Amino acid sequence: LAKTTQPISMDSYEGQEVNITCSHNNIATNDYITWYQQFPSQGPRFIIQGYKTKVTNEVASLFIPADRKSSTLSLPRVSLSDTAVYYCLVGVGYSSASKIIFGSGTRLSIRP
Amino acid sequence: GAGVSQTPSNKVTEKGKYVELRCDPISGHTALYWYRQSLGQGPEFLIYFQGTGAADDSGLPNDRFFAVRPEGSVSTLKIQRTERGDSAVYLCASSLAVGGPQHFGDGTRLSIL
């Protein structure tokens, strides 16, 4: 049963790079790692998904070491609008029935 | 394009009543998920459908909770004999296939008085 652990909160400043790490020691072979962003009174919004090594899209990068027991979401040059809660999700591999478990989330606050 | 739509956006009812929460997924998405989120907590998985069938309902807290997706599109989450502890935001998400990125609605805020 994959369970995730994230820092409860983080603070940073506009223009900085922010890295949020998620631990998932019991990740299953078929599990993917997905990160979501959530603003108040809205549903989570997909940021990025990966299985191993590194994935990059237009908004973030995801780094996954070889043992896959952790992952790091990297947000380049954050702005005030990046203030939100970030969730690491492990589960639902494409061919598995592993349980879907959101972490407790990391509350990211960006200051001017 | 249209995203995931949930209705109603807010529902207030009395303890013991029956409620239905509706989710309209993105057209063509075969997987549909229900979550429950309490204040300050991450979404708690309830159930997910692959097509019309419930592929995993292990997150439903008890037999008062039931969900259907009869035609593989719209889904309804049904809660019988509501209790105050059922108060939460109920989120629905859909994905093109199981395991893919999930697209969430903005939820139904359920308040049991």
Side-chain angles (χ1 to χ4, degrees):
Chain A
L1 187 64
K3 183 175 180 181
T4 60
T5 303
Q6 304 175 231
I8 293 174
S9 63
M10 295 182 66
D11 296 323
S12 189
Y13 293 90
E14 281 191 295
Q16 298 296 304
E17 177 184 84
V18 171
N19 296 309
I20 307 175
T21 297
C22 177
S23 297
H24 29 79
N25 291 319
N26 297 322
I27 188 169
T29 302
N30 291 331
D31 284 341
Y32 279 68
I33 300 157
T34 314
W35 285 80
Y36 290 86
Q37 175 193 55
Q38 188 175 28
F39 298 111
S41 300
Q42 295 184 21
R45 185 174 70 175
F46 170 82
I47 302 175
I48 197 166
Q49 184 179 66
Y51 183 81
K52 62 180 179 180
T53 62
K54 177 184 175 182
V55 180
T56 298
N57 62 23
E58 63 275 10
V59 298
S61 294
L62 178 59
F63 298 92
I64 305 169
D67 66 5
R68 303 198 333 119
K69 294 188 176 186
S70 67
S71 58
T72 298
L73 174 71
S74 181
L75 304 173
R77 300 179 298 282
V78 293
S79 64
L80 295 177
S81 63
D82 292 316
T83 294
V85 178
Y86 291 80
Y87 292 100
C88 168
L89 173 63
V90 174
V92 195
Y94 283 96
S95 60
S96 81
S98 58
K99 296 187 181 297
I100 304 170
I101 300 178
F102 272 79
S104 55
T106 297
R107 189 171 300 275
L108 176 64
S109 298
I110 305 300
R111 303 176 182 178
Chain B
V4 176
S5 175
Q6 293 188 247
T7 54
S9 56
N10 285 281
K11 176 71 176 178
V12 181
T13 191
E14 295 179 341
K15 175 184 172 184
K17 298 292 187 181
Y18 168 83
V19 297
E20 289 190 353
L21 311 180
R22 177 187 170 105
C23 173
D24 283 86
I26 293 173
S27 178
H29 280 196
T30 61
L32 184 146
Y33 314 79
W34 283 99
Y35 297 85
R36 177 169 69 174
Q37 187 171 28
S38 300
L39 191 63
Q41 303 294 315
E44 174 193 3
F45 168 75
L46 297 177
I47 184 172
Y48 89 85
F49 290 87
Q50 176 61 26
T52 60
D56 183 351
D57 64 357
S58 62
L60 295 177
N62 51 58
D63 61 6
R64 295 187 298 105
F65 289 75
F66 189 72
V68 296
R69 193 185 186 200
E71 298 179 355
S73 178
V74 171
S75 176
T76 304
L77 178 66
K78 307 179 181 188
I79 310 174
Q80 299 177 322
R81 305 183 304 279
T82 52
E83 300 177 357
R84 292 197 179 88
D86 298 334
S87 297
V89 175
Y90 288 81
L91 293 164
C92 175
S94 69
S95 63
L96 194 58
V98 171
Q102 296 178 37
H103 300 262
F104 283 80
D106 286 335
T108 294
R109 183 174 300 277
L110 177 64
S111 299
I112 308 299
L113 304 179

